[in-house]
């Protein structure tokens, strides 16, 4: 599932000697599987290599089908030793997804680092663990403004939106490449040449447009780093009337099969001394009804009543 | 002591209440602890409730076996008939009373072995009814004999050294015999099973839904498959929805059974064809009666 590759190339030719710096340039590219992290890092590595640098690239990939976290370290310079970037040493942090960018922030050098992030949010399932009514997402609450105040140079843009306006949202990574191109010292035509050699022939036009649009955006927003008029606030949880789940157990019908106890995601049921299901922690219950669905004996009833409405089971 | 609650007096929140559909005087039901048939029965009643089917226009027919007994707990017109013949009985019932919604609850032994002949011909005729085949891989009620769906090498009372026969895929059989709606779902996915059953009951023509159920007390114990929770969780490792199966070439896990709607046909329904023929004959003979 997880694989690490190291591409190592020797210094090639004397043509690009002038762009080769003493200290390696460190670019960290992060995102979610499927967004094109590897494509971005390949473009950058090829470009740097063509300019006469020694390049080392190291990545974790293979998560694309799962939407997992993907990162890629690209280091280039006169002489590169380690294929990975030390903590706090990245010159550029390029994030294709907002929270992934925040997660890798400690790797960015505070004195000279450039932070580039797409404000697109891909909310992972883990951020939705709280199933209670009206529960907030477990996603980062920091706004682009908060983050840009913490870094020296930062760009937060809706690259996916820009790519969508060009007709292909999958070109978002190329938009970000355009922004990245302003932070690195390579010529625009070299960038375009490498990008065109990497993307599928049918998408050359849209990628070209996306790159130029990203570059143009970065030049236009060089001072602030973000679109002032765009709303980056997180969607608030849907306004629902909070319900208080209540679990009723028909003791005479329970046959102690243990399914509800073992299947409850919140572990709020148990078997009592007579091996009959019992509510152990009613405050943890989210009212997901799994116990009700899976009880083969119909002994469990889950009611989601308006909060404050405490009902007692009425018995004849 | 059975402390039964009057369903009319229970607090409600508007969700499905199974007590509206049960014969409460017979509860708790006779099935063993952890038996999947109870979950399947809930899914069926839930589907009927959501479809808004009138209890007086509902006929549930069942054969012999654990599956056969489930129909007795439904508060509707239910029929408990001879082993393997619920489909034959239901065919006659539907022909005589086409206004009824006819549902047949049958088991793997009931439908595929003893009533295999009726199963094939019910699929072939394509009469508008629904067969729910509760597949627990064993004859549970009669003492744990091997059934046509028992997995290879599993122990039963009649295969003390392991089952040596290949298994029947009920869905493939139904599809080949001409059923126009074939689906499969496991009891673990109760809401999905409910949705599948809703589609099956609403389908105009013969529909067959195979429900992967668990026999915990006889089959599970004899084969050391764990307790009820372990058995129902094991269903998960064997499942892959149809849509997912078609999009991913490399499965994350082996694929013993496919779930979801597996086949839909568009053959003419039996009664429609029958009425058309009656009309044609009457027209040929010159005017109606």
């Amino acid at each position: 599932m997880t694989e690490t590759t190291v591409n190592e190339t020797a210094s090639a030719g004397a043509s690009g000697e002038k762009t080769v710096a003493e200290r390696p340039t460190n670019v960290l590219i992060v995102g979610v599987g499927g967004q094109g992290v590897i494509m971005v890092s390949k473009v950058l590595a090829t470009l740097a290599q063509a300019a006469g640098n020694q390049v080392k690239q190291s990545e974790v990939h293979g998560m694309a089908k799962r939407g997992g976290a993907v990162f890629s370290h690209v280091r280039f310079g006169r002489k590169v030793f380690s294929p990975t970037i030390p903590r706090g040493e990245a010159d550029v942090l390029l994030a294709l997804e907002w929270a992934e960018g925040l997660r890798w922030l400690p790797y960015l050098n505070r004195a000279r680092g450039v932070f580039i992030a797409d404000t697109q949010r891909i909310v992972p399932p883990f951020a939705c663990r709280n199933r209670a009514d009206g529960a907030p997402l477990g996603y980062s609450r920091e706004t682009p403004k908060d983050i840009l105040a913490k870094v020296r140079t930062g760009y937060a843009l809706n690259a996916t939106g820009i790519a969508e306006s060009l007709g292909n949202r999958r070109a978002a990574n190329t938009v970000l490449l355009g922004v990245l191109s302003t932070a690195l010292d390579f010529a625009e035509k070299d960038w375009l040449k490498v990008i065109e050699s990497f993307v599928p022939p049918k998408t050359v036009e849209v990628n070209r447009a996306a790159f130029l649009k990203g570059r143009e955006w970065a030049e236009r927003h060089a001072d602030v780093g973000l679109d002032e008029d765009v709303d980056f606030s997180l969607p608030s949880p849907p306004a629902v009337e909070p319900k208080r789940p209540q679990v009723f157990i028909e003791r005479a019908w329970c046959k102690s099969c243990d399914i509800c106890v073992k299947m409850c995601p919140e572990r709020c049921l148990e078997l009592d001394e007579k091996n009959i299901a019992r509510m152990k922690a009613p405050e943890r219950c989210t009212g997901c009804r799994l116990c009700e669905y899976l009880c083969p004996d119909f002994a469990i009833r889950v009611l989601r009543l308006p909060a404050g409405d405490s009902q007692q089971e009425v018995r004849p | 002591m059975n402390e039964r609650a009057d369903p009319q007096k229970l607090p409600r929140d508007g969700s499905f209440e199974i007590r509206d559909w049960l014969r409460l005087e017979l509860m708790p039901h006779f099935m063993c602890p952890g038996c999947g048939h109870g979950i399947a029965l809930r899914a069926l009643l839930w589907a009927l409730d959501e479809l808004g089917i009138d209890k007086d226009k509902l006929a549930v027919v069942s054969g012999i076996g654990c599956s056969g007994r489930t129909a007795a707990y439904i508060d509707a017109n239910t029929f408990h008939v001879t082993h393997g013949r619920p489909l034959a009985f239901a065919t006659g019932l539907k022909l005589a009373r086409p206004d009824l919604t006819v549902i047949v609850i049958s088991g793997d032994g009931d439908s595929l072995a003893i009533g295999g002949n009726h199963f094939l011909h019910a699929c072939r005729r394509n009469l508008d009814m629904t067969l729910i085949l509760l597949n627990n891989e064993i004859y549970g009620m009669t003492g744990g004999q091997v059934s046509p769906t028992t997995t290879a090498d599993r122990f039963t009372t009649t295969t003390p050294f392991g089952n040596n026969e290949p298994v029947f895929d009920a869905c493939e059989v139904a599809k080949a015999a001409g059923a126009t709606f074939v689906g499969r779902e496991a009891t673990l996915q109760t809401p999905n099973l409910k949705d599948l059953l809703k589609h099956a009951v609403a389908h105009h023509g013969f529909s067959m839904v195979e429900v992967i159920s668990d026999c915990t007390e006889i089959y599970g114990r004899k084969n050391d498959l764990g307790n009820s929770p372990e058995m129902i969780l094991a269903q998960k490792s064997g499942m892959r929805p149809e849509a997912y199966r078609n999009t991913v070439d490399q499965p994350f896990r082996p694929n013993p059974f496919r779930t979801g709607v597996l086949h839909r046909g568009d053959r003419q329904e039996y009664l429609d064809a029958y009425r058309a023929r009656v009309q044609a004959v009457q027209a040929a003979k010159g005017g109606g009666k």
Side-chain angles (χ1 to χ4, degrees):
Chain A
M1 184 172 69
T2 304
E3 227 178 273
T4 304
T5 61
V6 178
N7 296 344
E8 194 175 334
T9 48
S11 190
S15 58
E17 280 301 318
K18 62 179 183 299
T19 57
V20 176
E22 268 311 313
R23 192 184 55 78
T25 307
N26 301 324
V27 181
L28 180 59
I29 302 143
V30 297
V32 174
Q35 286 192 308
V37 171
I38 305 300
M39 185 270 190
V40 167
S41 63
K42 275 185 178 165
V43 166
L44 181 59
T46 313
L47 184 68
Q49 190 183 348
N53 293 280
Q54 189 185 54
V55 182
K56 280 187 183 171
Q57 187 220 341
S58 162
E59 70 205 30
V60 167
H61 66 88
M63 309 289 197
K65 276 177 185 166
R66 291 202 170 176
V70 179
F71 64 85
S72 176
H73 297 242
V74 181
R75 307 190 75 206
F76 56 89
R78 183 183 298 280
K79 189 77 188 152
V80 181
F81 293 98
S82 167
T84 54
I85 301 170
R87 208 179 164 85
E89 283 301 315
D91 296 302
V92 182
L93 172 59
L94 181 71
L96 278 69
E97 198 269 344
W98 182 242
E100 285 300 316
L102 302 197
R103 195 218 299 255
W104 288 91
L105 257 185
Y107 275 73
L108 188 68
N109 189 301
R110 291 299 155 107
R112 58 175 193 272
V114 181
F115 177 71
I116 303 169
D118 190 348
T119 52
Q120 194 212 179
R121 299 177 176 90
I122 299 175
V123 180
F126 199 74
C128 312
R129 271 203 73 234
N130 190 346
R131 285 181 291 262
D133 281 333
L137 284 177
Y139 194 89
S140 163
R141 296 266 136 200
E142 278 104 331
T143 61
K145 224 174 217 165
D146 300 341
I147 298 302
L148 294 194
K150 289 181 187 166
V151 297
R152 199 182 66 84
T153 316
Y155 299 99
L157 71 158
N158 187 1
T160 311
I162 293 174
E164 241 164 20
S165 70
L166 294 172
N168 191 345
R169 75 192 313 248
R170 287 188 288 179
N173 57 348
T174 318
V175 175
L176 289 167
L177 265 177
V179 181
L180 175 68
S181 72
T182 61
L184 298 174
D185 193 18
F186 298 111
E188 186 182 304
K189 65 172 193 335
D190 296 339
W191 279 99
L192 284 169
K193 210 172 89 187
V194 178
I195 290 171
E196 280 164 20
S197 70
F198 268 101
V199 298
K202 274 186 198 164
T203 63
V204 165
E205 272 316 304
V206 68
N207 275 296
R208 206 184 152 84
F211 177 83
L212 294 174
K213 198 108 181 182
R215 202 174 158 90
E216 183 246 346
W217 186 94
E219 278 158 4
R220 198 150 36 88
H221 296 83
D223 45 345
V224 248
L226 78 163
D227 285 313
E228 285 294 341
D229 53 333
V230 178
D231 180 23
F232 290 125
S233 59
L234 268 177
S236 53
V240 289
E241 188 194 358
K243 298 274 175 64
R244 198 176 39 76
Q246 244 183 308
V247 176
F248 297 113
I249 297 169
E250 185 92 43
R251 290 180 58 85
W253 291 9
C254 176
K255 290 185 189 139
S256 323
C257 71
D258 208 22
I259 287 180
C260 54
V261 177
K262 293 275 161 58
M263 300 297 278
C264 174
E266 308 296 333
R267 303 275 187 274
C268 46
L269 289 150
E270 66 176 358
L271 293 186
D272 66 9
E273 63 285 349
K274 286 187 169 173
N275 273 346
I276 304 293
R278 173 169 71 189
M279 199 64 184
K280 176 173 68 176
E283 71 284 354
R284 287 214 297 265
C285 178
T286 60
C288 72
R289 294 182 193 272
L290 198 60
C291 53
E292 185 182 5
Y293 295 159
L294 293 181
C295 178
D297 300 298
F298 321 131
I300 301 182
R301 300 173 64 232
V302 180
L303 291 190
R304 292 162 66 87
L305 302 164
D309 179 8
S310 177
Q311 292 251 21
Q312 293 295 312
E313 188 124 29
V314 186
R315 301 203 165 273
Chain B
M1 289 299 288
N2 188 354
E3 36 170 340
R4 276 188 287 114
D6 182 356
Q8 298 305 318
K9 291 181 185 164
L10 289 172
R12 304 257 175 159
D13 67 348
S15 59
F16 167 60
E17 176 52 65
I18 194 166
R19 279 154 188 75
D20 298 341
W21 285 85
L22 291 177
R23 289 181 176 146
L24 291 171
E25 65 275 17
L26 296 180
M27 292 295 292
H29 58 57
F30 89 112
M31 280 170 275
C32 308
C35 175
H37 288 8
I39 307 173
L41 180 58
R42 162 184 287 277
L44 171 64
L45 297 181
W46 190 7
L48 295 174
D49 189 76
E50 289 203 350
L51 285 170
I53 286 177
D54 182 4
K55 283 181 188 176
D56 292 330
K57 294 283 178 193
L58 173 68
V60 184
V61 188
S62 66
I64 300 294
C66 299
S67 62
R69 281 292 292 271
T70 54
Y73 300 102
I74 304 174
D75 184 21
N77 308 300
T78 57
F79 305 89
H80 194 188
V81 302
T82 46
H83 206 346
R85 274 74 185 165
L87 281 167
F89 184 91
T91 303
L93 181 66
K94 182 73 184 178
L95 289 174
R97 288 288 302 276
D99 57 318
L100 297 181
T101 302
V102 178
I103 289 170
V104 179
I105 303 181
S106 182
D108 48 322
D110 196 44
S111 246
L112 294 174
I114 292 170
N117 162 31
H118 299 293
F119 176 70
L120 292 180
H121 292 290
C123 292
R124 177 179 63 88
R125 285 192 192 105
N126 196 24
L127 192 60
D128 182 16
M129 56 190 184
T130 307
L131 166 65
I132 295 156
L133 199 153
L134 301 176
N135 178 4
N136 58 1
E137 301 197 12
I138 201 162
Y139 285 83
M141 183 188 267
T142 52
Q145 290 87 355
V146 67
S147 97
T149 54
T150 307
T151 308
D153 302 330
R154 286 276 163 84
F155 302 107
T156 67
T157 49
T158 45
T159 58
F161 305 107
N163 178 24
N164 222 21
E165 296 174 3
V167 298
F168 241 160
D169 185 334
C171 291
E172 289 298 321
V173 174
K175 190 176 150 186
T180 48
F181 183 102
V182 178
R184 185 194 279 129
E185 194 53 81
T187 51
L188 178 67
Q189 308 269 45
T190 320
N192 291 15
L193 177 58
K194 179 259 302 177
D195 288 340
L196 184 65
L197 287 171
K198 264 172 85 175
H199 283 110
V201 174
H203 175 75
H204 187 59
F206 187 80
S207 43
M208 199 283 277
V209 174
E210 183 186 5
V211 182
I212 305 294
S213 180
D214 293 321
C215 175
T216 52
E217 287 294 311
I218 294 170
Y219 189 66
R221 188 170 292 177
K222 204 166 181 78
N223 288 286
D224 202 12
L225 299 178
N227 297 323
S228 319
E230 283 90 55
M231 280 191 79
I232 195 162
L233 261 177
Q235 293 180 350
K236 197 172 190 174
S237 65
M239 234 171 359
R240 280 184 71 216
E242 180 65 2
Y244 187 60
R245 181 188 148 84
N246 290 341
T247 52
V248 181
D249 305 328
Q250 289 290 315
F252 291 131
R253 52 176 82 96
N255 177 32
F257 64 85
R258 296 154 52 181
T259 60
V261 179
L262 303 181
H263 172 69
R264 260 181 201 275
D266 55 356
R267 282 194 310 130
Q268 197 175 24
E269 199 263 334
Y270 182 86
L271 273 172
D272 292 349
Y274 185 75
R275 289 195 191 104
R277 184 163 297 267
V278 168
Q279 273 182 357
V281 170
Q282 284 174 346
K285 290 201 171 167
K289 310 214 169 196

